């Protein structure tokens, strides 16, 4: 077993060194309910994006917790049909943002619909790389959202809090070239069983390798995963953190390498970028981190 906790910046770096918040925020008047997750999705699709999942969360909130504070609470995941896969060809860990997340929410007590999405600077910091393609991807996302929300007020979230842990959690499983596919099937089985054991669900899957021309990967898949108590609890105080949900587990093997890599964006991104400070939200996030690490550790042992 080999475990790597990868972080894009030194953990002791103060968040005050960053010029602005990690999340783009849109606030749009929506008293008549004309703006919906479906109209936002349509604008993204028209601009070259594919959709992983468009999950309205109020029904599961109400079923499991008997209440919801929101008229709208939707987790929308998307990937750019060209730029996302150009990035993953260059940077293997980019798969943790394929698809990338967009939070859409509107409280019952307000007439304003809100949208949150991670900035290109935050993506670069999390992944530990800099590339103009991230700005291009951000440009396409923002153009789509501005088309869907033409009169929206745009801003950034608060400056992020000090990072408390590694921004990417990564494990590696050594494999031989001849048994890689069989081992990967075992990885998928272990992942499905482990996630189910801890109450995680998998709303969408994506075969990234199939979408890359001249792929340098033998295998590359992503699982979008979420856990309802985590989403619900964090949404009570920090709905903008939906820009990190559901998170993606990237699983890949590069050609010529003898390892399968499993990686996901750590919950420390939620805590820092979305300014999560309440005891209940922090506890549920850190518990989810512990459980996910346990699942992956079991797989690679």
């Amino acid at each position: 077993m080999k475990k790597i906790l990868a972080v894009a910046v030194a953990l002791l770096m103060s968040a005050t060194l960053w010029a602005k918040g990690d999340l783009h925020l849109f606030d749009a008047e929506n008293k008549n309910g004309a703006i919906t997750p479906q109209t936002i999705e349509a604008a993204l699709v028209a601009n070259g994006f594919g959709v992983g999942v468009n999950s309205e969360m109020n029904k599961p909130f109400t079923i499991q917790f008997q209440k919801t504070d929101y008229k709208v609470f939707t987790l929308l995941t998307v990937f750019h049909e060209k730029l996302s896969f150009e990035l993953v060809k260059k940077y293997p860990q980019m798969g943790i943002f394929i698809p990338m997340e967009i939070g859409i929410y509107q409280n019952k007590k307000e007439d304003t619909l809100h949208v949150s999405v991670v900035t290109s600077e935050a993506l670069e910091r999390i992944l530990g790389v800099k590339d103009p393609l991230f700005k291009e991807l951000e440009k396409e996302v923002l153009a789509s959202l501005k088309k869907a929300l033409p009169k929206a007020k745009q801003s950034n979230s608060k400056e992020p809090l000090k990072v408390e842990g590694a921004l990417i959690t990564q494990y590696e499983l050594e494999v031989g070239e001849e048994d890689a596919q069989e081992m990967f099937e075992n990885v998928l089985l272990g992942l499905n069983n482990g996630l189910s054991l801890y109450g995680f669900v998998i709303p969408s899957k994506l075969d990234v390798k199939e979408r890359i021309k001249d792929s340098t990967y033998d295998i590359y898949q992503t699982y979008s995963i979420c856990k309802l108590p985590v989403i619900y609890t964090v949404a009570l105080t920090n709905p903008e953190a939906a820009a990190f949900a559901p998170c993606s587990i990237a699983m890949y093997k590069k050609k010529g390498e003898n390892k399968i890599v499993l990686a996901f964006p750590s919950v420390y991104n939620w805590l820092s970028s979305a300014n999560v400070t309440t005891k209940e939200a922090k506890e549920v996030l850190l518990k989810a981190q512990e459980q996910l690490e346990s699942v992956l550790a079991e797989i690679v042992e």
Side-chain angles (χ1 to χ4, degrees), residues 89 208-209 212-220 255:
K89 282 180 70 173
V208 174
K209 177 181 177 292
I212 303 175
K213 185 177 180 180
D214 301 322
S215 175
T216 58
Y217 301 99
D218 290 320
I219 299 166
Y220 205 125
K255 291 180 179 178

Side-chain angles (χ1 to χ4, degrees), residues 83-149:
L83 297 173
S84 294
F85 301 107
E86 287 185 12
L87 280 163
V88 83
K89 282 180 70 173
K90 298 174 71 173
Y91 311 110
Q93 287 182 324
M94 176 62 188
I96 67 174
F97 291 109
I98 298 179
M100 64 187 301
E101 303 83 7
I102 298 175
I104 305 170
Y105 49 97
Q106 182 174 347
N107 194 283
K108 289 180 177 179
K109 297 179 180 179
E110 62 179 346
D111 297 328
T112 304
L113 180 135
H114 309 277
V115 175
S116 62
V117 64
V118 177
T119 66
S120 61
E121 291 87 355
L123 289 178
E124 288 181 323
R125 190 174 71 252
I126 293 166
L127 294 168
V129 297
K130 290 187 71 68
D131 192 303
L133 284 175
F134 286 102
K135 274 294 183 186
E136 289 187 38
L137 177 61
E138 178 181 60
K139 180 181 177 181
E140 296 302 321
V141 172
L142 296 181
S144 302
L145 293 177
K146 288 174 182 177
K147 185 174 181 180
L149 311 163

Side-chain angles (χ1 to χ4, degrees), residues 46-300:
N47 199 29
F49 285 86
V51 176
V53 65
N54 188 331
S55 293
E56 214 294 318
M57 303 302 295
N58 277 323
K59 184 176 181 179
F61 282 171
T62 303
I63 291 172
Q64 185 160 342
F65 305 105
Q66 290 75 55
K67 67 174 184 176
T68 177
D69 294 336
Y70 294 93
K71 296 178 186 177
V72 177
F73 199 97
T74 293
L75 308 178
L76 175 63
T77 66
V78 299
F79 51 88
H80 194 275
E81 296 281 6
K82 178 183 177 183
L83 297 173
S84 294
F85 301 107
E86 287 185 12
L87 280 163
V88 83
K89 282 180 70 173
K90 298 174 71 173
Y91 311 110
Q93 287 182 324
M94 176 62 188
I96 67 174
F97 291 109
I98 298 179
M100 64 187 301
E101 303 83 7
I102 298 175
I104 305 170
Y105 49 97
Q106 182 174 347
N107 194 283
K108 289 180 177 179
K109 297 179 180 179
E110 62 179 346
D111 297 328
T112 304
L113 180 135
H114 309 277
V115 175
S116 62
V117 64
V118 177
T119 66
S120 61
E121 291 87 355
L123 289 178
E124 288 181 323
R125 190 174 71 252
I126 293 166
L127 294 168
V129 297
K130 290 187 71 68
D131 192 303
L133 284 175
F134 286 102
K135 274 294 183 186
E136 289 187 38
L137 177 61
E138 178 181 60
K139 180 181 177 181
E140 296 302 321
V141 172
L142 296 181
S144 302
L145 293 177
K146 288 174 182 177
K147 185 174 181 180
L149 311 163
K151 297 182 180 180
K153 175 184 175 183
Q154 186 179 349
S155 62
N156 280 83
S157 58
K158 297 177 183 177
E159 290 183 352
L161 301 176
K162 181 179 177 180
V163 176
E164 297 181 10
L167 298 182
I168 297 175
T169 302
Q170 179 170 307
Y171 288 78
E172 296 178 357
L173 174 63
E174 293 185 2
V175 296
E177 197 69 32
E178 65 285 349
D179 61 353
Q181 186 59 47
E182 181 180 351
M183 290 293 292
F184 188 68
E185 290 172 2
N186 290 336
V187 166
L188 295 182
L189 179 62
L191 187 62
N192 281 291
N193 290 341
L195 292 174
S196 177
L197 176 66
Y198 287 114
F200 290 91
V201 297
I202 307 169
S204 69
K205 305 174 185 179
L206 187 65
D207 192 328
V208 174
K209 177 181 177 292
E210 286 188 352
R211 294 173 176 267
I212 303 175
K213 185 177 180 180
D214 301 322
S215 175
T216 58
Y217 301 99
D218 290 320
I219 299 166
Y220 205 125
Q221 292 187 24
T222 63
Y223 274 20
S224 292
I225 65 167
C226 64
K227 188 172 183 178
L228 194 58
V230 174
I231 306 299
Y232 180 82
T233 304
V234 177
L236 293 174
T237 53
N238 298 86
E240 66 276 16
F244 288 104
C247 76
S248 291
I249 297 180
M251 301 165 284
Y252 62 89
K253 178 188 175 298
K254 295 196 74 175
K255 291 180 179 178
E257 293 188 352
N258 64 342
K259 62 184 179 181
I260 293 173
V261 178
L262 299 96
F264 67 89
S266 306
V267 302
Y268 302 108
N269 294 291
W270 299 51
L271 297 171
S272 175
S273 297
N275 281 252
V276 176
T277 58
T278 63
K279 179 176 181 290
E280 295 78 9
K282 292 184 71 172
E283 285 181 350
V284 75
L285 283 167
L286 292 172
K287 184 64 174 180
Q289 175 75 24
E290 177 186 326
Q291 291 170 339
L292 283 174
E293 288 189 20
S294 176
V295 171
L296 298 192
E298 179 73 18
I299 289 171
V300 304

